[in-house]
Amino acid sequence: MTATATMPADARLSFPRLIRSEWIKLRSIRSTVWCYGVLVVLTIAMAVLLGALVNQDGATLPTDQANAQIVNINTAGVTITALVVGVLGVLIITGEYGTGQIRSTFTADPGRIGVVLAKAFVLALTTFLVSAVSTWIGVVVSTALQAANNVHPDLGDPAVVLPILGSSVYVTLLALLAYGIGLLVRSSAGGIAITLGILLVLPVILSIFFSLTNAQWIVDVTNLLPSQAGGQLFAYAAPGAPAAQSGLVLNGWGGFGVLAAEVVVVGALAMTAARSRDV
């Protein structure tokens, strides 16, 4: 005689329960601690170092230049931290495939979409909060250091607040893009290689082609790459400054739209693949 186990209706995993489960997983993985630790240290260290060294001669700067300087100081490390969260975004999903834990994860949520979205939500929220807190700590410290060098930016100016906030949005979107790539390829090495290739290698290749052909469309394509489009999120734009570039020109909102669309497209393809193939 055999007994059949049934799951109570109230024991089914709701989305909040999936989020709680993914949060436990995220904070229990050593790669998460290391990656976020590197992000915090690099962000604050770069801000402190540049805040102490820039404008040491004490020359008085107009407010607009002071604003640009404080933005540049506190976003100088974003290119490096973006690579760190890119690696984390891949590992957060491929690690489960590598250990086989993904079978248990998808067994708990047979539809798979809920757990994929819950993992993305936890990754995005944690990345944004860690980045934003460390960035604004850097802003406070570097502003104090720059004040000693006779630089007094207006931290309440939207031209300062938006790019500083945009740097955290940028690394968050890159983490989600890498997460989607990792879900598609299901390989840590492959996902990291593709992510770093998109961020580092592809812009160099297009730059070489442009130097050989001088074709404007190559510049336009380059501006649509995640690193270039997302870079507009933390670029300081002086109020009333005209665009000096020909061809396709993106501002902060345009760069956000392009990068967000790329994240959505890759994520949709990844979720479709996750539902249709075996683990």
Side-chain angles (χ1 to χ4, degrees), residues 46-250:
M46 288 289 288
V48 172
L49 181 63
L50 294 176
L53 295 179
V54 173
N55 206 60
Q56 282 188 310
D57 58 1
T60 303
L61 297 181
T63 301
D64 185 57
Q65 291 185 27
N67 288 348
Q69 188 154 288
I70 205 67
V71 169
N72 292 334
I73 286 173
N74 287 281
T75 59
V78 173
T79 303
I80 302 174
T81 56
L83 302 179
V84 175
V85 299
V87 171
L88 175 63
V90 172
L91 293 179
I92 210 68
I93 181 65
T94 58
E96 288 203 43
Y97 278 101
T99 61
Q101 187 181 0
I102 196 69
R103 295 185 180 90
S104 301
T105 299
F106 285 163
T107 298
D109 179 35
R112 300 185 180 182
I113 298 301
V115 71
V116 169
L117 292 177
K119 193 182 291 290
F121 176 83
V122 171
L123 173 65
L125 181 60
T126 307
T127 301
F128 178 79
L129 289 177
V130 171
S131 174
V133 170
S134 56
T135 299
W136 281 100
I137 290 174
V139 169
V140 171
V141 176
S142 62
T143 299
L145 292 171
Q146 283 289 283
N149 292 341
N150 211 25
V151 177
H152 303 282
D154 179 9
L155 296 183
D157 192 330
V160 174
V161 174
L162 290 179
I164 291 176
L165 183 64
S167 66
S168 298
V169 175
Y170 171 64
V171 297
T172 301
L173 289 175
L174 279 188
L176 290 175
L177 181 65
Y179 171 70
I181 292 172
L183 184 59
L184 267 176
V185 301
R186 303 189 295 183
S187 165
S188 296
I192 292 172
I194 293 172
T195 300
L196 297 186
I198 291 173
L199 296 178
L200 297 177
V201 180
L202 195 53
V204 174
I205 293 175
L206 289 175
S207 176
I208 293 173
F209 273 99
F210 174 72
S211 65
L212 295 175
T213 64
N214 204 32
Q216 179 61 44
W217 68 268
I218 296 179
V219 177
D220 294 340
V221 171
T222 301
N223 289 336
L224 295 175
L225 293 178
S227 54
Q228 274 67 22
Q232 299 303 316
L233 281 166
F234 56 91
Y236 179 79
Q245 183 181 350
S246 59
L248 178 64
V249 179
L250 297 175

